Amino acid sequence: MKKLIILFLFLIPFLGFSEWYEFGPSSIQTNDICFVNFSSGQNVICTSTGIFIEDSTGNWVEYSYGLAVMGAIPYDNENVMLILSGGSYSDGVYLFNFTTHQFTVMEWCYYPKFVIFIESIQQYFVGYQGGLITSGNGIDWTIIETFNDKKLL
């Protein structure tokens, strides 16, 4: 009984902190969510058919390039960096412009799996089926030789 009371007292602070809120359309399956804190302030939901962006009226609008969007990270005030993957020669790193709603390819890479930005060294990294690539500006990409031809699971 003493152990049960101690366990209960330990859990009390956590009971009120587990609230979930629906974000985005309820009918979609999400691969990733990117919260953009720039002047445009638009959030991006990545799906197997494209991206969803909330418009000024609270409606979610889908934009598609015909490939699954596996991940997204903020890039600048007008763009978000995406990785598109569908097992085709169109796979790679793209920018999506919030104003023009256009996708622009930055680098081709087969089956990209993740994109991250490490702020302390100002570097982007994309893991894909052939290894790992990096860029300091999102435009010029180089292969990290240590990971060249290493397969992601």
Side-chain angles (χ1 to χ4, degrees):
M1 181 68 170
K2 188 176 184 180
K3 289 180 185 178
L4 182 61
I5 292 173
I6 291 172
L7 179 63
F8 181 73
L9 291 174
F10 176 74
L11 292 176
I12 287 175
F14 300 106
L15 294 176
F17 295 107
S18 59
E19 293 185 47
W20 289 87
Y21 298 96
E22 186 174 312
F23 183 77
S26 60
S27 61
I28 63 171
Q29 290 186 341
T30 303
N31 293 331
D32 192 17
I33 297 176
C34 176
F35 298 103
V36 179
N37 294 325
F38 297 126
S39 60
S40 57
Q42 294 178 297
N43 299 312
V44 177
I45 299 175
C46 305
T47 71
S48 61
T49 58
I51 58 174
F52 282 83
I53 297 176
E54 190 173 17
D55 67 15
S56 60
T57 63
N59 293 318
W60 288 91
V61 181
E62 182 178 20
Y63 298 95
S64 179
Y65 193 74
L67 296 171
V69 180
M70 303 308 294
I73 58 173
Y75 182 71
D76 62 22
N77 285 338
E78 294 296 321
N79 299 282
V80 64
M81 183 179 287
L82 308 171
I83 53 169
L84 279 65
S85 181
S88 73
Y89 289 109
S90 297
D91 290 0
V93 182
Y94 286 74
L95 291 183
F96 178 80
N97 185 281
F98 290 122
T99 304
T100 65
H101 304 128
Q102 297 294 309
F103 292 85
T104 304
V105 68
M106 303 307 288
E107 181 71 18
W108 307 110
C109 58
Y110 193 61
Y111 274 126
K113 300 291 183 191
F114 67 86
V115 58
I116 60 171
F117 179 72
I118 299 179
E119 195 167 330
S120 62
I121 59 172
Q122 296 292 299
Q123 282 296 117
Y124 296 95
F125 293 91
V126 171
Y128 70 106
Q129 186 166 341
L132 186 67
I133 56 176
T134 185
S135 174
N137 58 13
I139 299 168
D140 304 308
W141 292 85
T142 57
I143 295 172
I144 298 177
E145 290 299 326
T146 305
F147 298 100
N148 194 20
D149 292 326
K150 303 291 190 250
K151 303 257 186 240
L152 289 176
L153 299 176

